[in-house]
Amino acid sequence: MTFNPLRERGIPLDKQLRNWRELNVVPIDPDHADPYTRCRIITMNGIEVEAIMFSHHLARHCPDLEIKQQLARVRYIEAQQQKVVNWLLPGVSSVLETTIAYEQVAVDLTAWVARMEPDSYLKQAYQFGVLEDFDHLYRYANLYEMIEHRKAEKIVDGLTEVMPGRPTYLHHRNPIDNVREPYDRSSTAPISKLHALTIMSAEQQTMNFYMNVGPTAMEPIARQLYQEIGLIEEEHVTHYESLVDPGESWWEMLLNHEYNECYLYHSFMETESDPKVKAIWELHLNMELEHLRLAAELFKRLDGRDPEQVCAPELPAPVTFEPNKAYLRELLSTQIDITTLGTGYVQEAHERFEKMQEALMGGEVAPSERVIDDNRAVSGHEYRLQTEGEHPVHSLAANR
Ligand SMILES: [Fe+2]
Ligand SMILES: [Fe+2]
Ligand SMILES: [Fe+2]
Ligand SMILES: [Fe+2]
């Protein structure tokens, strides 16, 4: 069944405002919820935060009072959506548990996007990045075992494996080498624009999250690990945002944002296992259809083109949270030792990379390495969750 969000009717904007009772959603059950329901919540929070911040930036560049007022009206609804979505997370989870869930999102969302991406250069960007968040998950899981004495399988529930990826200390590149080439807005497939926006938004919220929660940790190793990985998330935002064609007009970008919100709410409505959460995805989809209609009007008026020229004629296959274990193992065995040089990828550490490493490490071992040693000292082993057998890279096998 095809669904063209540009031709659907949503809820009129003046019927979208919710009162306190409607905003006060019941959070998901922390012990029995589907981990992928939590992943969908985190993803949509990242999307709504991007919708809000993008709209603020657009408003700051917009001299027309009436358009600014319309942006403010829609943005207030986006802000209510963000509240509803993120408040589905239960308050009992620790910051570190939420952190592990964020990295699980980064792993399974990026792996799915990498699998589906039709453009080989963009696909490579996702394949490259996913092996880094995969390693972050392993580092935080060790921190979790060491300081909270619990195991990450309680959170990821065996859906995502936890073991070394590209070692975190090797993610610190010269910032120049984090900038990729953008897609071409006139020739790229519409799905590629949606993928880039989705992953950029997810990484951006992870970056923001670590910026704010990092210093709430008390243990020195935890504070240091958040600093280290927080800096890598900055690199990841640079990496993914540079994939988006900066030649898109503000109105085209607004249109793509609203279209992507429709796409993701529709995807999650189709794949959600929790009926109460599914009802929220459906309600928000019906709100987004109206946001998209309003953005399409602005696009026609101010960009002078027809939205059907830049958007997909129907929604692509739903974004799906599902295990990507075999795919990730394949990437581990083929791409673990690459880095970036300029806008491309190379196998060897180059001079600019080495210089950055030296300057940042200052002769010390990175927190991401120390956390594994520290956990071994406390727990007697390092933490891993290898449901599919030994690590595909021989030198990273657990019982080497
Ligand atoms: Fe929204
Ligand atoms: Fe990460
Ligand atoms: Fe990341
Ligand atoms: Fe929206």
Side-chain angles (χ1 to χ4, degrees), residues 64-126:
D64 184 306
L65 179 68
E66 243 176 76
I67 295 176
K68 257 163 69 165
Q69 289 171 335
Q70 185 186 308
L71 289 172
R73 288 179 70 207
V74 174
R75 190 169 63 241
Y76 190 85
I77 301 300
E78 310 283 15
Q80 283 207 334
Q81 291 177 317
Q82 185 275 331
K83 300 298 169 287
V84 165
V85 169
N86 212 24
W87 267 244
L88 286 169
L89 294 180
V92 293
S93 302
S94 71
V95 163
L96 195 43
E97 285 168 334
T98 304
T99 297
I100 288 168
Y102 270 48
E103 295 292 353
Q104 185 182 25
V105 169
V107 169
D108 280 324
L109 186 64
T110 313
W112 192 88
V113 162
R115 282 165 50 207
M116 300 301 149
E117 175 55 52
D119 177 289
S120 62
Y121 182 78
L122 299 171
K123 190 186 197 72
Q124 175 65 74
Y126 302 120

Side-chain angles (χ1 to χ4, degrees), residues 41-264:
I41 293 168
I42 291 169
T43 302
M44 285 324 301
N45 185 56
I47 294 295
E48 289 298 350
V49 169
E50 167 63 22
I52 294 164
M53 295 316 299
F54 172 77
S55 171
H56 276 299
H57 285 291
L58 171 50
R60 290 167 202 175
H61 286 80
C62 181
D64 184 306
L65 179 68
E66 243 176 76
I67 295 176
K68 257 163 69 165
Q69 289 171 335
Q70 185 186 308
L71 289 172
R73 288 179 70 207
V74 174
R75 190 169 63 241
Y76 190 85
I77 301 300
E78 310 283 15
Q80 283 207 334
Q81 291 177 317
Q82 185 275 331
K83 300 298 169 287
V84 165
V85 169
N86 212 24
W87 267 244
L88 286 169
L89 294 180
V92 293
S93 302
S94 71
V95 163
L96 195 43
E97 285 168 334
T98 304
T99 297
I100 288 168
Y102 270 48
E103 295 292 353
Q104 185 182 25
V105 169
V107 169
D108 280 324
L109 186 64
T110 313
W112 192 88
V113 162
R115 282 165 50 207
M116 300 301 149
E117 175 55 52
D119 177 289
S120 62
Y121 182 78
L122 299 171
K123 190 186 197 72
Q124 175 65 74
Y126 302 120
Q127 291 177 331
F128 179 79
V130 75
L131 289 188
E132 303 198 332
D133 292 310
F134 187 79
D135 195 75
H136 298 167
L137 179 59
Y138 161 70
R139 309 287 156 176
Y140 282 126
N142 275 273
L143 181 66
Y144 183 51
E145 180 171 56
M146 181 171 76
I147 66 182
E148 296 188 22
H149 311 292
R150 303 180 87 167
K151 296 188 186 296
E153 62 236 41
K154 172 175 105 65
I155 302 160
V156 300
D157 201 20
L159 297 169
T160 311
E161 292 192 280
V162 182
M163 58 184 167
R166 179 177 307 121
T168 289
Y169 77 96
L170 297 175
H171 306 173
H172 303 289
R173 295 171 285 273
N174 186 299
I176 290 173
D177 295 315
N178 291 322
V179 180
R180 313 261 65 78
E181 301 276 3
Y183 61 68
D184 177 347
R185 72 196 158 90
S186 59
S187 60
T188 198
I191 183 69
S192 298
K193 301 180 194 173
L194 304 175
H195 283 163
L197 264 187
T198 301
I199 301 299
M200 179 194 83
S201 306
E203 293 291 327
Q204 173 176 262
Q205 91 160 333
T206 307
M207 174 185 79
N208 290 341
F209 186 66
Y210 299 164
M211 277 179 182
N212 290 303
V213 302
T216 66
M218 282 199 310
E219 294 77 3
I221 183 66
R223 297 173 66 85
Q224 292 170 339
L225 188 63
Y226 275 104
Q227 270 196 351
E228 179 178 8
I229 297 182
L231 283 167
I232 296 161
E233 303 305 349
E234 156 62 27
E235 299 188 79
H236 286 175
V237 177
T238 302
H239 175 82
Y240 293 119
E241 78 189 359
S242 58
L243 299 175
V244 178
D245 187 343
E248 291 170 358
S249 72
W250 280 99
W251 313 109
E252 185 169 358
M253 288 191 278
L254 178 64
L255 186 69
N256 288 340
H257 275 77
E258 297 293 6
Y259 192 100
N260 197 38
E261 288 190 90
C262 291
Y263 174 41
L264 289 171

Side-chain angles (χ1 to χ4, degrees), residues 28-45:
I28 56 169
D29 182 327
D31 299 316
H32 303 105
D34 177 351
Y36 284 149
T37 294
R38 187 174 45 223
C39 287
R40 284 183 283 269
I41 293 168
I42 291 169
T43 302
M44 285 324 301
N45 185 56

